[in-house]
mmCIF file of all heavy atoms in Angstrom:
data_model
loop_
_atom_site.group_PDB
_atom_site.id
_atom_site.type_symbol
_atom_site.label_atom_id
_atom_site.label_comp_id
_atom_site.label_asym_id
_atom_site.label_seq_id
_atom_site.Cartn_x
_atom_site.Cartn_y
_atom_site.Cartn_z
ATOM 1 N N GLN A 393 0.842 -1.183 0.000
ATOM 2 C CA GLN A 393 0.000 0.000 0.000
ATOM 3 C C GLN A 393 0.884 1.243 0.000
ATOM 4 O O GLN A 393 1.859 1.323 0.741
ATOM 5 C CB GLN A 393 -0.915 0.023 1.228
ATOM 6 C CG GLN A 393 -1.933 1.138 1.245
ATOM 7 C CD GLN A 393 -3.064 0.906 0.269
ATOM 8 O OE1 GLN A 393 -3.237 -0.196 -0.224
ATOM 9 N NE2 GLN A 393 -3.814 1.946 -0.019
ATOM 10 N N VAL A 394 0.544 2.214 -0.831
ATOM 11 C CA VAL A 394 1.292 3.462 -0.936
ATOM 12 C C VAL A 394 0.334 4.615 -0.699
ATOM 13 O O VAL A 394 -0.763 4.643 -1.257
ATOM 14 C CB VAL A 394 1.942 3.603 -2.323
ATOM 15 C CG1 VAL A 394 2.600 4.965 -2.464
ATOM 16 C CG2 VAL A 394 2.946 2.487 -2.550
ATOM 17 N N GLN A 395 0.743 5.532 0.119
ATOM 18 C CA GLN A 395 -0.022 6.764 0.319
ATOM 19 C C GLN A 395 0.778 7.927 -0.245
ATOM 20 O O GLN A 395 1.988 8.028 -0.015
ATOM 21 C CB GLN A 395 -0.329 6.973 1.795
ATOM 22 C CG GLN A 395 -1.299 5.937 2.358
ATOM 23 C CD GLN A 395 -1.657 6.192 3.810
ATOM 24 O OE1 GLN A 395 -0.822 6.640 4.588
ATOM 25 N NE2 GLN A 395 -2.888 5.917 4.175
ATOM 26 N N LEU A 396 0.090 8.796 -0.975
ATOM 27 C CA LEU A 396 0.734 9.910 -1.645
ATOM 28 C C LEU A 396 0.144 11.225 -1.141
ATOM 29 O O LEU A 396 -1.078 11.361 -1.050
ATOM 30 C CB LEU A 396 0.526 9.806 -3.153
ATOM 31 C CG LEU A 396 0.975 8.502 -3.816
ATOM 32 C CD1 LEU A 396 0.531 8.467 -5.272
ATOM 33 C CD2 LEU A 396 2.483 8.357 -3.707
ATOM 34 N N VAL A 397 1.023 12.177 -0.853
ATOM 35 C CA VAL A 397 0.583 13.489 -0.384
ATOM 36 C C VAL A 397 1.262 14.556 -1.227
ATOM 37 O O VAL A 397 2.491 14.685 -1.204
ATOM 38 C CB VAL A 397 0.911 13.698 1.107
ATOM 39 C CG1 VAL A 397 0.484 15.093 1.546
ATOM 40 C CG2 VAL A 397 0.239 12.628 1.956
ATOM 41 N N GLU A 398 0.440 15.318 -1.965
ATOM 42 C CA GLU A 398 0.962 16.397 -2.788
ATOM 43 C C GLU A 398 1.015 17.695 -1.992
ATOM 44 O O GLU A 398 0.218 17.908 -1.079
ATOM 45 C CB GLU A 398 0.075 16.640 -4.020
ATOM 46 C CG GLU A 398 -0.078 15.452 -4.937
ATOM 47 C CD GLU A 398 -1.384 14.710 -4.711
ATOM 48 O OE1 GLU A 398 -1.900 14.764 -3.563
ATOM 49 O OE2 GLU A 398 -1.893 14.091 -5.649
ATOM 50 N N SER A 399 1.941 18.553 -2.374
ATOM 51 C CA SER A 399 2.038 19.881 -1.782
ATOM 52 C C SER A 399 2.684 20.818 -2.787
ATOM 53 O O SER A 399 3.239 20.369 -3.798
ATOM 54 C CB SER A 399 2.866 19.841 -0.486
ATOM 55 O OG SER A 399 4.181 19.398 -0.745
ATOM 56 N N GLY A 400 2.601 22.122 -2.497
ATOM 57 C CA GLY A 400 3.270 23.101 -3.335
ATOM 58 C C GLY A 400 2.366 23.882 -4.258
ATOM 59 O O GLY A 400 2.826 24.789 -4.961
ATOM 60 N N GLY A 401 1.090 23.550 -4.300
ATOM 61 C CA GLY A 401 0.182 24.294 -5.149
ATOM 62 C C GLY A 401 -0.109 25.673 -4.586
ATOM 63 O O GLY A 401 0.302 26.012 -3.474
ATOM 64 N N GLY A 402 -0.824 26.474 -5.366
ATOM 65 C CA GLY A 402 -1.174 27.808 -4.914
ATOM 66 C C GLY A 402 -1.550 28.705 -6.057
ATOM 67 O O GLY A 402 -1.789 28.256 -7.175
ATOM 68 N N LEU A 403 -1.594 29.992 -5.752
ATOM 69 C CA LEU A 403 -1.925 31.014 -6.745
ATOM 70 C C LEU A 403 -0.636 31.661 -7.241
ATOM 71 O O LEU A 403 0.203 32.073 -6.423
ATOM 72 C CB LEU A 403 -2.829 32.064 -6.112
ATOM 73 C CG LEU A 403 -3.156 33.304 -6.952
ATOM 74 C CD1 LEU A 403 -3.954 32.911 -8.189
ATOM 75 C CD2 LEU A 403 -3.917 34.329 -6.109
ATOM 76 N N VAL A 404 -0.504 31.753 -8.552
ATOM 77 C CA VAL A 404 0.697 32.345 -9.142
ATOM 78 C C VAL A 404 0.291 33.165 -10.351
ATOM 79 O O VAL A 404 -0.700 32.841 -11.025
ATOM 80 C CB VAL A 404 1.716 31.242 -9.525
ATOM 81 C CG1 VAL A 404 1.169 30.314 -10.573
ATOM 82 C CG2 VAL A 404 3.046 31.837 -9.943
ATOM 83 N N GLN A 405 1.045 34.212 -10.636
ATOM 84 C CA GLN A 405 0.757 35.042 -11.800
ATOM 85 C C GLN A 405 1.268 34.375 -13.073
ATOM 86 O O GLN A 405 2.215 33.575 -13.035
ATOM 87 C CB GLN A 405 1.412 36.409 -11.631
ATOM 88 C CG GLN A 405 0.804 37.252 -10.523
ATOM 89 C CD GLN A 405 1.390 38.660 -10.483
ATOM 90 O OE1 GLN A 405 2.455 38.928 -11.026
ATOM 91 N NE2 GLN A 405 0.670 39.563 -9.829
ATOM 92 N N PRO A 406 0.666 34.708 -14.190
ATOM 93 C CA PRO A 406 1.182 34.178 -15.471
ATOM 94 C C PRO A 406 2.672 34.486 -15.625
ATOM 95 O O PRO A 406 3.121 35.590 -15.305
ATOM 96 C CB PRO A 406 0.340 34.920 -16.512
ATOM 97 C CG PRO A 406 -0.944 35.217 -15.806
ATOM 98 C CD PRO A 406 -0.551 35.516 -14.384
ATOM 99 N N GLY A 407 3.403 33.490 -16.108
ATOM 100 C CA GLY A 407 4.842 33.620 -16.245
ATOM 101 C C GLY A 407 5.610 33.183 -15.029
ATOM 102 O O GLY A 407 6.850 33.070 -15.082
ATOM 103 N N GLY A 408 4.917 32.928 -13.943
ATOM 104 C CA GLY A 408 5.570 32.527 -12.709
ATOM 105 C C GLY A 408 5.892 31.039 -12.663
ATOM 106 O O GLY A 408 5.670 30.302 -13.630
ATOM 107 N N SER A 409 6.432 30.616 -11.512
ATOM 108 C CA SER A 409 6.861 29.233 -11.333
ATOM 109 C C SER A 409 6.316 28.662 -10.028
ATOM 110 O O SER A 409 6.076 29.405 -9.062
ATOM 111 C CB SER A 409 8.392 29.156 -11.297
ATOM 112 O OG SER A 409 8.958 29.581 -12.511
ATOM 113 N N LEU A 410 6.148 27.360 -10.028
ATOM 114 C CA LEU A 410 5.807 26.613 -8.827
ATOM 115 C C LEU A 410 6.518 25.272 -8.903
ATOM 116 O O LEU A 410 6.761 24.747 -9.997
ATOM 117 C CB LEU A 410 4.307 26.355 -8.719
ATOM 118 C CG LEU A 410 3.381 27.479 -8.261
ATOM 119 C CD1 LEU A 410 1.931 27.020 -8.354
ATOM 120 C CD2 LEU A 410 3.707 27.920 -6.852
ATOM 121 N N ARG A 411 6.805 24.711 -7.735
ATOM 122 C CA ARG A 411 7.301 23.348 -7.684
ATOM 123 C C ARG A 411 6.380 22.514 -6.816
ATOM 124 O O ARG A 411 6.209 22.805 -5.628
ATOM 125 C CB ARG A 411 8.727 23.275 -7.137
ATOM 126 C CG ARG A 411 9.304 21.870 -7.276
ATOM 127 C CD ARG A 411 10.735 21.756 -6.819
ATOM 128 N NE ARG A 411 10.862 21.665 -5.375
ATOM 129 C CZ ARG A 411 11.910 21.125 -4.748
ATOM 130 N NH1 ARG A 411 12.925 20.634 -5.473
ATOM 131 N NH2 ARG A 411 11.964 21.096 -3.427
ATOM 132 N N LEU A 412 5.791 21.511 -7.419
ATOM 133 C CA LEU A 412 4.940 20.583 -6.694
ATOM 134 C C LEU A 412 5.781 19.421 -6.174
ATOM 135 O O LEU A 412 6.724 18.975 -6.846
ATOM 136 C CB LEU A 412 3.835 20.038 -7.581
ATOM 137 C CG LEU A 412 2.936 21.071 -8.270
ATOM 138 C CD1 LEU A 412 1.831 20.353 -9.048
ATOM 139 C CD2 LEU A 412 2.343 22.047 -7.279
ATOM 140 N N SER A 413 5.404 18.940 -5.002
ATOM 141 C CA SER A 413 6.057 17.768 -4.419
ATOM 142 C C SER A 413 5.016 16.706 -4.131
ATOM 143 O O SER A 413 3.865 17.024 -3.807
ATOM 144 C CB SER A 413 6.773 18.140 -3.110
ATOM 145 O OG SER A 413 7.765 19.123 -3.319
ATOM 146 N N CYS A 414 5.423 15.470 -4.225
ATOM 147 C CA CYS A 414 4.551 14.343 -3.886
ATOM 148 C C CYS A 414 5.373 13.388 -3.039
ATOM 149 O O CYS A 414 6.322 12.771 -3.536
ATOM 150 C CB CYS A 414 4.042 13.658 -5.137
ATOM 151 S SG CYS A 414 3.147 12.122 -4.817
ATOM 152 N N ALA A 415 5.014 13.304 -1.770
ATOM 153 C CA ALA A 415 5.724 12.427 -0.842
ATOM 154 C C ALA A 415 4.972 11.114 -0.700
ATOM 155 O O ALA A 415 3.759 11.113 -0.474
ATOM 156 C CB ALA A 415 5.864 13.115 0.509
ATOM 157 N N ALA A 416 5.702 10.032 -0.812
ATOM 158 C CA ALA A 416 5.096 8.707 -0.736
ATOM 159 C C ALA A 416 5.489 8.002 0.556
ATOM 160 O O ALA A 416 6.636 8.095 0.991
ATOM 161 C CB ALA A 416 5.538 7.862 -1.922
ATOM 162 N N SER A 417 4.535 7.334 1.137
ATOM 163 C CA SER A 417 4.816 6.478 2.285
ATOM 164 C C SER A 417 4.635 5.032 1.868
ATOM 165 O O SER A 417 3.978 4.741 0.876
ATOM 166 C CB SER A 417 3.881 6.807 3.452
ATOM 167 O OG SER A 417 2.542 6.544 3.093
ATOM 168 N N GLY A 418 5.216 4.124 2.634
ATOM 169 C CA GLY A 418 5.159 2.727 2.249
ATOM 170 C C GLY A 418 6.439 2.314 1.547
ATOM 171 O O GLY A 418 7.301 3.129 1.261
ATOM 172 N N SER A 419 6.540 1.057 1.253
ATOM 173 C CA SER A 419 7.772 0.530 0.678
ATOM 174 C C SER A 419 7.684 0.455 -0.842
ATOM 175 O O SER A 419 6.607 0.516 -1.421
ATOM 176 C CB SER A 419 8.041 -0.870 1.247
ATOM 177 O OG SER A 419 6.976 -1.735 0.902
ATOM 178 N N GLY A 420 8.845 0.339 -1.440
ATOM 179 C CA GLY A 420 8.897 0.086 -2.871
ATOM 180 C C GLY A 420 8.818 1.297 -3.766
ATOM 181 O O GLY A 420 8.624 1.145 -4.979
ATOM 182 N N PHE A 421 9.012 2.495 -3.203
ATOM 183 C CA PHE A 421 8.869 3.708 -4.019
ATOM 184 C C PHE A 421 9.746 3.665 -5.252
ATOM 185 O O PHE A 421 9.320 4.051 -6.338
ATOM 186 C CB PHE A 421 9.201 4.936 -3.173
ATOM 187 C CG PHE A 421 9.193 6.221 -3.962
ATOM 188 C CD1 PHE A 421 7.996 6.864 -4.232
ATOM 189 C CD2 PHE A 421 10.371 6.798 -4.416
ATOM 190 C CE1 PHE A 421 7.971 8.061 -4.965
ATOM 191 C CE2 PHE A 421 10.372 7.973 -5.140
ATOM 192 C CZ PHE A 421 9.167 8.608 -5.415
ATOM 193 N N SER A 422 10.970 3.199 -5.100
ATOM 194 C CA SER A 422 11.906 3.245 -6.221
ATOM 195 C C SER A 422 11.490 2.354 -7.381
ATOM 196 O O SER A 422 11.992 2.509 -8.497
ATOM 197 C CB SER A 422 13.310 2.853 -5.746
ATOM 198 O OG SER A 422 13.314 1.513 -5.282
ATOM 199 N N THR A 423 10.580 1.441 -7.147
ATOM 200 C CA THR A 423 10.143 0.532 -8.216
ATOM 201 C C THR A 423 8.923 1.057 -8.978
ATOM 202 O O THR A 423 8.548 0.485 -9.995
ATOM 203 C CB THR A 423 9.788 -0.846 -7.646
ATOM 204 O OG1 THR A 423 8.641 -0.729 -6.790
ATOM 205 C CG2 THR A 423 10.944 -1.425 -6.852
ATOM 206 N N TYR A 424 8.332 2.118 -8.464
ATOM 207 C CA TYR A 424 7.112 2.632 -9.078
ATOM 208 C C TYR A 424 7.409 3.611 -10.215
ATOM 209 O O TYR A 424 8.342 4.410 -10.138
ATOM 210 C CB TYR A 424 6.248 3.354 -8.050
ATOM 211 C CG TYR A 424 5.517 2.422 -7.112
ATOM 212 C CD1 TYR A 424 6.149 1.892 -5.995
ATOM 213 C CD2 TYR A 424 4.205 2.075 -7.353
ATOM 214 C CE1 TYR A 424 5.481 1.038 -5.139
ATOM 215 C CE2 TYR A 424 3.519 1.219 -6.511
ATOM 216 C CZ TYR A 424 4.170 0.708 -5.398
ATOM 217 O OH TYR A 424 3.492 -0.149 -4.562
ATOM 218 N N THR A 425 6.600 3.563 -11.247
ATOM 219 C CA THR A 425 6.527 4.663 -12.190
ATOM 220 C C THR A 425 5.657 5.735 -11.555
ATOM 221 O O THR A 425 4.560 5.447 -11.074
ATOM 222 C CB THR A 425 5.924 4.216 -13.522
ATOM 223 O OG1 THR A 425 6.867 3.375 -14.193
ATOM 224 C CG2 THR A 425 5.606 5.403 -14.408
ATOM 225 N N MET A 426 6.153 6.952 -11.555
ATOM 226 C CA MET A 426 5.427 8.067 -10.955
ATOM 227 C C MET A 426 4.942 9.009 -12.052
ATOM 228 O O MET A 426 5.606 9.175 -13.084
ATOM 229 C CB MET A 426 6.320 8.821 -9.976
ATOM 230 C CG MET A 426 6.864 7.965 -8.839
ATOM 231 S SD MET A 426 5.576 7.258 -7.804
ATOM 232 C CE MET A 426 4.814 8.745 -7.142
ATOM 233 N N ALA A 427 3.814 9.621 -11.797
ATOM 234 C CA ALA A 427 3.242 10.520 -12.797
ATOM 235 C C ALA A 427 2.509 11.671 -12.128
ATOM 236 O O ALA A 427 2.037 11.543 -10.995
ATOM 237 C CB ALA A 427 2.293 9.759 -13.718
ATOM 238 N N TRP A 428 2.439 12.761 -12.849
ATOM 239 C CA TRP A 428 1.589 13.888 -12.482
ATOM 240 C C TRP A 428 0.469 13.991 -13.519
ATOM 241 O O TRP A 428 0.737 13.939 -14.726
ATOM 242 C CB TRP A 428 2.372 15.189 -12.450
ATOM 243 C CG TRP A 428 3.290 15.317 -11.283
ATOM 244 C CD1 TRP A 428 4.615 15.034 -11.242
ATOM 245 C CD2 TRP A 428 2.930 15.763 -9.977
ATOM 246 N NE1 TRP A 428 5.111 15.274 -9.982
ATOM 247 C CE2 TRP A 428 4.095 15.729 -9.191
ATOM 248 C CE3 TRP A 428 1.742 16.194 -9.389
ATOM 249 C CZ2 TRP A 428 4.109 16.112 -7.841
ATOM 250 C CZ3 TRP A 428 1.757 16.579 -8.053
ATOM 251 C CH2 TRP A 428 2.927 16.536 -7.286
ATOM 252 N N TYR A 429 -0.745 14.145 -13.020
ATOM 253 C CA TYR A 429 -1.924 14.393 -13.842
ATOM 254 C C TYR A 429 -2.523 15.729 -13.418
ATOM 255 O O TYR A 429 -2.235 16.237 -12.344
ATOM 256 C CB TYR A 429 -2.975 13.297 -13.624
ATOM 257 C CG TYR A 429 -2.679 11.979 -14.288
ATOM 258 C CD1 TYR A 429 -1.679 11.146 -13.812
ATOM 259 C CD2 TYR A 429 -3.429 11.559 -15.389
ATOM 260 C CE1 TYR A 429 -1.427 9.921 -14.417
ATOM 261 C CE2 TYR A 429 -3.184 10.337 -16.003
ATOM 262 C CZ TYR A 429 -2.187 9.525 -15.503
ATOM 263 O OH TYR A 429 -1.944 8.319 -16.115
ATOM 264 N N ARG A 430 -3.384 16.249 -14.258
ATOM 265 C CA ARG A 430 -4.126 17.444 -13.876
ATOM 266 C C ARG A 430 -5.537 17.368 -14.428
ATOM 267 O O ARG A 430 -5.791 16.730 -15.449
ATOM 268 C CB ARG A 430 -3.429 18.711 -14.342
ATOM 269 C CG ARG A 430 -3.402 18.928 -15.849
ATOM 270 C CD ARG A 430 -2.584 20.177 -16.163
ATOM 271 N NE ARG A 430 -2.532 20.449 -17.597
ATOM 272 C CZ ARG A 430 -1.800 21.413 -18.144
ATOM 273 N NH1 ARG A 430 -1.044 22.201 -17.363
ATOM 274 N NH2 ARG A 430 -1.811 21.611 -19.455
ATOM 275 N N GLN A 431 -6.424 18.038 -13.702
ATOM 276 C CA GLN A 431 -7.819 18.069 -14.101
ATOM 277 C C GLN A 431 -8.377 19.462 -13.880
ATOM 278 O O GLN A 431 -8.442 19.934 -12.739
ATOM 279 C CB GLN A 431 -8.634 17.037 -13.321
ATOM 280 C CG GLN A 431 -10.063 16.890 -13.794
ATOM 281 C CD GLN A 431 -10.733 15.687 -13.187
ATOM 282 O OE1 GLN A 431 -10.312 15.149 -12.161
ATOM 283 N NE2 GLN A 431 -11.780 15.203 -13.843
ATOM 284 N N ALA A 432 -8.778 20.089 -14.970
ATOM 285 C CA ALA A 432 -9.409 21.398 -14.898
ATOM 286 C C ALA A 432 -10.913 21.212 -14.755
ATOM 287 O O ALA A 432 -11.447 20.154 -15.122
ATOM 288 C CB ALA A 432 -9.084 22.202 -16.149
ATOM 289 N N PRO A 433 -11.624 22.211 -14.247
ATOM 290 C CA PRO A 433 -13.078 22.083 -14.064
ATOM 291 C C PRO A 433 -13.773 21.717 -15.369
ATOM 292 O O PRO A 433 -13.535 22.343 -16.409
ATOM 293 C CB PRO A 433 -13.489 23.471 -13.581
ATOM 294 C CG PRO A 433 -12.267 24.009 -12.926
ATOM 295 C CD PRO A 433 -11.113 23.488 -13.725
ATOM 296 N N GLY A 434 -14.606 20.685 -15.314
ATOM 297 C CA GLY A 434 -15.370 20.280 -16.473
ATOM 298 C C GLY A 434 -14.595 19.506 -17.510
ATOM 299 O O GLY A 434 -15.126 19.201 -18.586
ATOM 300 N N LYS A 435 -13.333 19.179 -17.211
ATOM 301 C CA LYS A 435 -12.511 18.458 -18.178
ATOM 302 C C LYS A 435 -12.038 17.140 -17.596
ATOM 303 O O LYS A 435 -12.103 16.911 -16.387
ATOM 304 C CB LYS A 435 -11.326 19.324 -18.599
ATOM 305 C CG LYS A 435 -11.720 20.580 -19.347
ATOM 306 C CD LYS A 435 -10.505 21.293 -19.913
ATOM 307 C CE LYS A 435 -10.913 22.497 -20.737
ATOM 308 N NZ LYS A 435 -9.735 23.194 -21.335
ATOM 309 N N GLN A 436 -11.547 16.273 -18.450
ATOM 310 C CA GLN A 436 -11.044 14.986 -17.983
ATOM 311 C C GLN A 436 -9.656 15.161 -17.372
ATOM 312 O O GLN A 436 -8.999 16.169 -17.582
ATOM 313 C CB GLN A 436 -10.975 13.993 -19.143
ATOM 314 C CG GLN A 436 -9.944 14.339 -20.209
ATOM 315 C CD GLN A 436 -9.929 13.340 -21.347
ATOM 316 O OE1 GLN A 436 -10.886 12.613 -21.582
ATOM 317 N NE2 GLN A 436 -8.830 13.276 -22.073
ATOM 318 N N ARG A 437 -9.276 14.154 -16.600
ATOM 319 C CA ARG A 437 -7.942 14.153 -16.000
ATOM 320 C C ARG A 437 -6.927 13.685 -17.054
ATOM 321 O O ARG A 437 -7.057 12.627 -17.639
ATOM 322 C CB ARG A 437 -7.924 13.216 -14.786
ATOM 323 C CG ARG A 437 -6.666 13.302 -13.965
ATOM 324 C CD ARG A 437 -6.754 12.425 -12.732
ATOM 325 N NE ARG A 437 -7.810 12.866 -11.820
ATOM 326 C CZ ARG A 437 -7.993 12.346 -10.600
ATOM 327 N NH1 ARG A 437 -7.189 11.395 -10.156
ATOM 328 N NH2 ARG A 437 -8.984 12.786 -9.853
ATOM 329 N N ASP A 438 -5.914 14.486 -17.277
ATOM 330 C CA ASP A 438 -4.904 14.195 -18.290
ATOM 331 C C ASP A 438 -3.523 14.066 -17.669
ATOM 332 O O ASP A 438 -3.197 14.760 -16.696
ATOM 333 C CB ASP A 438 -4.860 15.303 -19.348
ATOM 334 C CG ASP A 438 -6.116 15.358 -20.203
ATOM 335 O OD1 ASP A 438 -6.670 14.284 -20.503
ATOM 336 O OD2 ASP A 438 -6.518 16.476 -20.566
ATOM 337 N N VAL A 439 -2.712 13.225 -18.260
ATOM 338 C CA VAL A 439 -1.345 13.064 -17.784
ATOM 339 C C VAL A 439 -0.516 14.277 -18.198
ATOM 340 O O VAL A 439 -0.640 14.786 -19.322
ATOM 341 C CB VAL A 439 -0.728 11.758 -18.308
ATOM 342 C CG1 VAL A 439 -0.643 11.752 -19.820
ATOM 343 C CG2 VAL A 439 0.624 11.504 -17.672
#
């Protein structure tokens, strides 16, 4: 079992930068393929 906790989001102006983090608990992290997805209102979740 793996638990994932994202952080680093927020409000930023156009042209700005953010760094998101995803911390995993549980064993075997190094064996996993990791991905970021996003979902805007009314749209599907995309990789």
Side-chain angles (χ1 to χ4, degrees):
Q393 186 74 15
V394 174
Q395 292 183 324
L396 305 172
V397 178
E398 301 100 332
S399 61
L403 173 64
V404 63
Q405 292 186 341
S409 297
L410 282 175
R411 188 177 79 157
L412 305 184
S413 300
C414 172
S417 63
S419 61
F421 175 81
S422 63
T423 66
Y424 285 83
T425 289
M426 301 299 298
W428 287 96
Y429 284 72
R430 68 184 181 186
Q431 187 169 20
K435 295 188 176 182
Q436 67 181 21
R437 189 176 296 187
D438 292 324
V439 62

